[in-house]
Amino acid sequence: MANNNIKLADSMAERVEQLAEQRHIIELGGGESRLQKQRERGKQTARERIDNLLDAHSFDEVGAFRKHRTTLFGMDKAVIPADGVVTGRGTIFGRPVHVASQDFTVMGGSAGETQSTKVVETMEQALLTGTPFLFFYDSGGARIQEGIDSLSGYGKMFFANVKLSGVVPQIAIIAGPCAGGASYSPALTDFIIMTKKAHMFITGPAVIKSVTGEDVTADQLGGADAHMTTSGNIHFVAEDDDAAVLIAKKLLSFLPQNNTEEAAFVNPNNDVSPCEELRDIVPVEGTKGYDVRDVISRIVDWGDYLEVKAGWATNIVTAFARFNGRTVGVVANQPKVMSGCLDIDASDKATEFINFCDSFNIPLVQLVDVPGFLPGVQQEYGGIIRHGAKMLYAYSEATVPKVTVVLRKAYGGSYLAMCNRDLGADAVYAWPTAEIAVMGADGAANVIFRREIDAAEDPAATRAEKIEEYRNAFNTPYVAAARGQVDDVIDPADTRRKITAALEMYATKRQTRPAKKHGNMPC
Ligand code: HXC
């Protein structure tokens, strides 16, 4: 480990040599054998991760020589290289960012007072300069030897996470252990990318076994797949560190530097010629499913989009994409999963995404094919009312341009929750297959024609007749168009052109809300 007291050399040349030696020792972190062990586990070292993330030679380390000020319990002479975290600034595709990377080879990457101070100072610099903050987590959590000071350090990190929230994008990359209260720091960021080498939980398998008697492995409990498919805590799964860095870079390419800017135009595609394939994707029959991603890939630039939380609440799709180079957030019902119904998890997933986009000036595009909120006792007991309300809240509060396209079903409250005109959609289009109504024709006929159906000689035939009558009268886009709920009924082939034009028109949208400290979104 680095030497605390060195005898200073007399000449500049020797001093430069001493500096290089000291730096080398610091860069060795916990030493060769621990670095080797880290690599054998399929993990990169803290410095390798930063080197992979940033443009070549752009890393400007800050605080390599920082030391803890206290005598650590049982470790009187310890010198802890960089105090177990590498911090600094650099660029990604030429854009400045601030980074931190916990060094697991140094006391398990544990966070004491100085480590947390370094991280918080880096975050403050990100805030000051309006640049994104990225943090590789790989740590045994609070440094046990520093006791309460390490807890306080985490408190400061949480506070800083919240301070940065909505001002600069924060991206957490969970690349190793992240346990206990420490996991609340990534949870307070905007996006979590987790590698398959990492684990994250509040209490590990052993504690769970002793408290509840449940048997679970670390992977089952807090591996990346569990968080993606079951808890919904993370946004992206990465096979390893390299893959995580690629996701982080792609994600950043869609985002602005901070909340006062708009995302840079990237690789615009100005071809908005009709796409006739779009006429063949959505079955006219409402009961048939399809993959809404087949629509997304045909309307966005180059068919390229980045799905967020792709493995959780898959009945709704949230994704970043571009129209003529302009970043948008796409929120689309997914009819191939649960018929695209909105449930508790889908509402939460959409709400978080809408809030992020609105915070960072990213317009929202909705693709609507939703039969309703999911019926069920568990949904009601689980609070579908307050969860669904979040979506209504988020869309109503969002002042970015909002463009809604109704592909097929748009029934009842879920029609509103997918950002209809009344929730502030600036442009609303409907395909000829759209059915915008209070409910489906079957349900509606049963309610309003119940007496006639019961009294009929042939109730089944009368019922079918009434359903047909209702469908033709109400389950079309034309009633909504007549009432000004949609601007136009469009040929699906023209969807890209219409959305692109609307986004260009509303790019200058300026909308304010009454001044308040903050709203009170249900949770
Ligand atoms: C100090 C720690 C440490 C910690 C690990 N180390 N965690 N040192 N404080 N929290 C050290 C080990 O002593 C060891 O040092 C080195 O890091 C590597 O640890 P190993 O156990 O050898 O590694 P591994 O087998 O891979 O296990 C990794 C681990 C395990 C699963 C993370 O170390 C572990 O369970 N650590 C304790 C986790 C924990 O209980 N943390 C406190 C959580 S409470 P040497 O010198 O041998 O290399 C918390 C509260 C935050 O974090 C509150 C915020 C509100």
Side-chain angles (χ1 to χ4, degrees):
M1 286 196 173
N3 192 351
N4 238 346
N5 298 302
I6 50 167
K7 185 176 179 315
L8 289 175
D10 294 330
S11 71
M12 175 61 93
E14 286 169 312
R15 293 256 176 136
V16 170
E17 208 172 294
Q18 274 182 339
L19 168 64
E21 274 167 28
Q22 287 299 305
R23 198 177 292 286
H24 177 67
I25 292 167
I26 289 167
E27 288 177 356
L28 271 181
E32 277 299 357
S33 66
R34 287 194 183 86
L35 290 172
Q36 190 50 32
K37 198 170 162 194
Q38 173 90 348
R39 293 189 187 105
E40 281 163 10
R41 287 174 159 181
K43 300 192 325 182
Q44 292 171 354
T45 68
R47 287 170 192 280
E48 285 166 354
R49 287 170 176 151
I50 289 184
D51 284 346
N52 275 343
L53 178 70
L54 299 181
D55 297 338
H57 313 300
S58 75
F59 183 47
D60 183 13
E61 185 169 355
V62 177
F65 292 94
R66 288 288 279 273
K67 282 189 188 140
H68 57 89
R69 67 180 169 85
T70 49
T71 301
L72 299 191
F73 175 75
M75 299 183 65
D76 299 352
K77 302 226 166 58
V79 176
I80 307 165
D83 213 74
V85 69
V86 185
T87 49
R89 53 208 171 211
T91 58
I92 296 177
F93 298 130
R95 290 167 54 181
V97 296
H98 281 80
V99 290
S101 180
Q102 287 177 318
D103 186 345
F104 188 79
T105 70
V106 176
M107 296 185 75
S110 57
E113 182 190 35
T114 301
Q115 175 173 134
S116 302
T117 302
K118 284 181 67 179
V119 172
V120 169
E121 285 176 359
T122 310
M123 295 168 81
E124 291 287 352
Q125 292 306 303
L127 196 63
L128 193 67
T129 53
T131 52
F133 174 65
L134 298 98
F135 190 176
F136 291 95
Y137 294 78
D138 188 357
S139 162
R143 186 172 296 155
I144 295 161
Q145 293 87 340
E146 291 193 46
I148 190 80
D149 285 337
S150 46
L151 288 186
S152 164
Y154 270 109
K156 291 183 172 71
M157 273 196 241
F158 300 163
F159 194 84
N161 282 129
V162 175
K163 205 164 154 189
L164 267 63
S165 181
V167 185
V168 295
Q170 299 181 78
I171 299 176
I173 301 173
I174 315 291
C178 182
S183 49
Y184 285 116
S185 176
L188 289 166
T189 69
D190 298 305
F191 297 101
I192 301 180
I193 303 166
M194 188 167 178
T195 76
K196 291 195 174 178
K197 317 285 176 198
H199 294 108
M200 178 167 70
F201 31 66
I202 295 295
T203 51
V207 176
I208 288 183
K209 176 74 181 163
S210 70
V211 176
T212 68
E214 292 163 293
D215 278 310
V216 66
T217 66
D219 263 344
Q220 288 165 341
L221 183 67
D225 287 334
H227 281 302
M228 175 53 83
T229 59
T230 310
S231 73
N233 280 329
I234 66 169
H235 301 78
F236 303 96
V237 174
E239 202 56 40
D240 54 19
D241 291 310
D242 276 333
V245 159
L246 288 178
I247 294 169
K249 286 182 173 179
K250 177 150 190 177
L251 174 59
L252 266 181
S253 78
F254 285 104
L255 311 183
Q257 288 291 88
N258 57 60
N259 67 336
T260 66
E261 295 182 10
E262 287 178 8
F265 277 56
V266 176
N267 203 9
N269 177 4
N270 61 11
D271 178 5
V272 291
S273 52
C275 170
E276 292 183 5
E277 285 174 25
L278 283 166
R279 295 180 188 149
D280 301 323
I281 294 171
V282 178
V284 175
E285 266 174 75
T287 48
K288 288 200 177 141
Y290 62 93
D291 192 338
V292 76
R293 290 172 298 192
D294 292 337
V295 176
I296 297 173
S297 62
R298 282 170 177 81
I299 60 174
V300 303
D301 284 6
W302 315 112
D304 182 40
Y305 61 94
L306 178 66
E307 203 175 334
V308 179
K309 294 200 174 181
W312 185 68
T314 51
N315 42 329
I316 199 155
V317 173
T318 49
F320 290 112
R322 295 185 183 90
F323 285 84
N324 200 7
R326 185 191 308 278
T327 293
V328 300
V330 178
V331 180
N333 306 114
Q334 175 55 291
K336 84 170 194 170
V337 181
M338 290 159 50
S339 303
C341 267
L342 290 178
D343 64 350
I344 289 171
D345 289 347
S347 304
D348 284 356
K349 175 172 160 179
T351 300
E352 185 190 87
F353 187 73
I354 297 160
N355 280 341
F356 177 84
C357 290
D358 189 47
S359 302
F360 288 99
N361 313 314
I362 297 174
L364 287 158
V365 172
Q366 287 62 240
L367 301 179
V368 184
D369 189 348
V370 62
F373 280 100
L374 183 70
V377 175
Q378 288 316 315
Q379 287 290 308
E380 295 290 342
Y381 284 179
I384 183 71
I385 294 175
R386 67 192 157 85
H387 288 278
K390 287 187 226 181
M391 240 180 122
L392 296 165
Y393 195 112
Y395 270 130
S396 302
E397 196 177 44
T399 54
V400 288
K402 296 181 280 194
V403 179
T404 298
V405 183
V406 182
L407 310 185
R408 197 171 55 171
K409 283 175 269 186
Y411 291 152
S414 62
Y415 156 60
L416 307 182
M418 284 301 294
C419 196
N420 83 324
R421 163 115 308 145
D422 306 296
L423 265 64
D426 300 295
V428 186
Y429 302 109
W431 285 9
T433 38
E435 302 172 16
I436 306 171
V438 175
M439 59 170 77
D442 288 29
N446 278 341
V447 175
I448 58 179
F449 299 117
R450 185 167 52 89
R451 282 207 187 84
E452 275 176 81
I453 293 171
D454 288 349
E457 241 173 62
D458 182 349
T462 308
R463 190 169 172 276
E465 217 172 85
K466 293 296 176 192
I467 289 172
E468 191 57 20
E469 216 176 282
Y470 184 89
R471 177 173 291 125
N472 290 333
F474 289 106
N475 285 25
T476 76
Y478 301 106
V479 180
R483 303 291 304 141
Q485 285 278 317
V486 303
D487 294 330
D488 204 1
V489 182
I490 61 169
D491 179 345
D494 289 334
T495 306
R496 175 172 160 79
R497 179 173 65 81
K498 293 297 251 184
I499 295 176
T500 307
L503 289 168
E504 270 157 32
M505 174 54 67
Y506 288 97
T508 51
K509 176 184 175 185
R510 295 289 174 264
Q511 193 170 43
T512 50
R513 296 278 191 262
K516 53 179 135 175
K517 189 171 176 190
H518 56 72
N520 190 14
M521 180 182 274
C523 56

